[in-house]
Amino acid sequence: MKPTITAFERSPDGGKGLARDMRVRWALEETGQDYEVRLRSFSALNEPAHLALHPFGQIPTYEEGDLTLFESGAIVLHIAERHQGLLPVDANARARAITWMFGALNTVEPPVFDRDLAMILEREEPWYEQRMRVLEDSIRKRLGALSTRLGDAEWLDGRFSAGDLLMVTVLRRLKGSGMLEETPNLAAYVARGEARPAFKRAFDAQLAVFKSASTGG
Amino acid sequence: MKPTITAFERSPDGGKGLARDMRVRWALEETGQDYEVRLRSFSALNEPAHLALHPFGQIPTYEEGDLTLFESGAIVLHIAERHQGLLPVDANARARAITWMFGALNTVEPPVFDRDLAMILEREEPWYEQRMRVLEDSIRKRLGALSTRLGDAEWLDGRFSAGDLLMVTVLRRLKGSGMLEETPNLAAYVARGEARPAFKRAFDAQLAVFKSASTGG
């Protein structure tokens, strides 16, 4: 049964693939799954039809038969558990890969996301510069720890996993900040993720949506 | 094999059970597992021995034989997958419970945690009050959505699950803020979580550590 996900009708990042549907598209591509996309305008996110799928009024959601999921991390884990390619078979290696999924979303993403949000919402506030310094210090601390752990390995723990998939999508938000380049092994890690054919297919699919919306097509 | 977790030698919350080892203790108690605790001073968190367990220098960690995990969410999921009591048997219900785990940690916790952090780090700043308003608006938006979804149900999706366990630990951080009381069904939900015998055992265990540290015992 082909799953259906939701995504922004017009992504606020201009087609850079930073919205969270990108993670789910990438996971579906890595595991060779076909899928449908239902596009949502911003105003539709808080309408009852969408809130029935996602109580917090966000994207993506995931529908498969009578199962409805939200939270990109949970959706990626669901896909990874049901199809080969994103989690090791060995039980301990699998638990460690899942640890990196939570690490990406619960430890690395919060300051990275806060920085993006502050750049949009707090630019005119009196605390903006100091707040950015605090956030960037916090991000650098995480990047330093992650860079040390990665070392010269290709992926975080053995073969490419759902943990790497989520971590790469989180780190991609730092592009243009200059911070990623301060840890060259992390910059190379992100580039390896982006070079995967499944990433490219997912990226092109979300970009096509943005282009179509931009031309009114 | 009895697992070993790490926890603060002296928790900064004064024994309120807000540190993230509480989640893991609670999950171990719900599933009837015995465990060992290795206490860490703050300075020990950045020493090589601890960084080998947790690349980001935090607590808790989880060691079981030759498996080492970090990230409280991943540890709770690991426990829930291997023992009965925290995840439904039905595959779809199980995926939904895991969705709530990610929802607690990736959607509700970030603004709640940011508020706690701002109260510690930004209290003397001229913008403190305005910043708190922004954070509290963001928290209220999440609480409103969560309250609507919970309605008059006992737990978020059927029986008590690891999703409820994590959500209750996140919402407990709001005690004393007055915000939880604005959504009475969420206040009652937290109270139901805290009334569980496994919660009480976990709470008492972390409180005993704090009391012992405070009396130099």
Side-chain angles (χ1 to χ4, degrees), chain A residues 71 105-107 114 125 130, chain B residues 71 105-107 114 127 130:
Chain A
E71 293 289 333
L105 300 186
N106 208 216
T107 296
D114 276 1
E125 302 294 351
Q130 189 174 342
Chain B
E71 292 290 333
L105 300 187
N106 209 217
T107 296
D114 277 1
W127 61 71
Q130 191 177 341

Side-chain angles (χ1 to χ4, degrees), chain B residues 122-166:
Chain B
E122 299 176 39
R123 193 177 279 277
E124 303 304 320
E125 302 293 352
W127 61 71
Y128 180 67
E129 284 188 26
Q130 191 177 341
R131 169 114 168 94
M132 286 298 274
R133 271 198 301 276
V134 169
L135 283 169
E136 292 182 355
D137 283 352
S138 171
I139 293 168
R140 284 195 174 91
K141 198 176 148 192
R142 301 291 188 228
L143 293 185
L146 188 64
S147 171
T148 300
R149 174 56 73 104
L150 180 65
D152 54 13
E154 193 174 10
W155 305 111
L156 286 165
D157 193 323
R159 293 176 67 174
F160 177 82
S161 79
D164 294 299
L165 185 154
L166 291 179

Side-chain angles (χ1 to χ4, degrees), chain B:
Chain B
M1 186 180 306
K2 205 190 281 191
T4 299
I5 67 169
T6 51
F8 290 132
E9 189 175 79
R10 189 178 186 130
S11 182
D13 66 20
K16 289 182 194 158
L18 300 180
R20 289 180 169 105
D21 61 297
M22 177 66 199
R23 299 167 176 173
V24 175
R25 291 175 185 271
W26 188 5
L28 288 163
E29 292 288 353
E30 287 283 352
T31 56
Q33 309 302 306
D34 204 6
Y35 61 100
E36 303 277 356
V37 183
R38 193 180 299 137
L39 300 178
R40 299 287 201 202
S41 66
F42 285 112
S43 61
L45 295 178
N46 288 308
E47 287 171 7
H50 190 72
L51 290 173
L53 301 180
H54 197 313
F56 299 109
Q58 299 174 330
I59 62 98
T61 58
Y62 178 94
E63 294 161 85
E64 187 184 10
D66 54 6
L67 173 66
T68 300
L69 300 177
F70 55 96
E71 292 290 333
S72 56
I75 298 169
V76 169
L77 181 56
H78 175 78
I79 295 164
E81 282 184 329
R82 275 152 194 78
H83 305 281
Q84 290 194 341
L86 286 173
L87 285 176
V89 174
D90 173 73
N92 282 1
R94 187 172 168 284
R96 290 196 305 270
I98 292 173
T99 284
W100 282 113
M101 295 180 69
F102 281 94
L105 300 187
N106 209 217
T107 296
V108 182
E109 184 171 55
V112 171
F113 194 79
D114 277 1
R115 178 178 173 276
D116 272 11
L117 214 59
M119 286 174 72
I120 297 167
L121 301 178
E122 299 176 39
R123 193 177 279 277
E124 303 304 320
E125 302 293 352
W127 61 71
Y128 180 67
E129 284 188 26
Q130 191 177 341
R131 169 114 168 94
M132 286 298 274
R133 271 198 301 276
V134 169
L135 283 169
E136 292 182 355
D137 283 352
S138 171
I139 293 168
R140 284 195 174 91
K141 198 176 148 192
R142 301 291 188 228
L143 293 185
L146 188 64
S147 171
T148 300
R149 174 56 73 104
L150 180 65
D152 54 13
E154 193 174 10
W155 305 111
L156 286 165
D157 193 323
R159 293 176 67 174
F160 177 82
S161 79
D164 294 299
L165 185 154
L166 291 179
M167 191 65 84
V168 168
T169 64
V170 168
L171 297 179
R172 289 188 74 242
R173 280 198 170 267
L174 293 171
K175 285 189 149 194
S177 72
M179 278 187 281
L180 210 48
E181 292 70 21
E182 295 168 15
T183 47
N185 66 337
L186 292 186
Y189 169 73
V190 170
R192 272 194 296 280
E194 293 176 334
R196 295 178 70 85
F199 176 93
K200 290 183 180 174
R201 288 194 297 272
F203 184 87
D204 290 346
Q206 64 80 36
L207 183 59
V209 171
F210 179 77
K211 283 186 174 166
S212 166
S214 303
T215 57

Side-chain angles (χ1 to χ4, degrees), chain A residues 129-184:
Chain A
E129 283 189 27
Q130 189 174 342
R131 172 120 168 91
M132 287 298 274
R133 270 198 302 275
V134 169
L135 283 169
E136 292 182 356
D137 283 351
S138 170
I139 293 168
R140 283 194 174 93
K141 199 176 147 191
R142 302 290 190 230
L143 294 184
L146 189 64
S147 172
T148 300
R149 174 56 73 102
L150 180 65
D152 54 13
E154 193 174 9
W155 306 111
L156 287 166
D157 194 324
R159 294 176 66 172
F160 178 82
S161 78
D164 295 300
L165 185 153
L166 292 180
M167 192 66 83
V168 167
T169 62
V170 168
L171 296 178
R172 288 188 74 244
R173 281 198 168 267
L174 293 171
K175 285 189 151 192
S177 72
M179 278 187 281
L180 209 48
E181 291 69 21
E182 295 168 16
T183 47

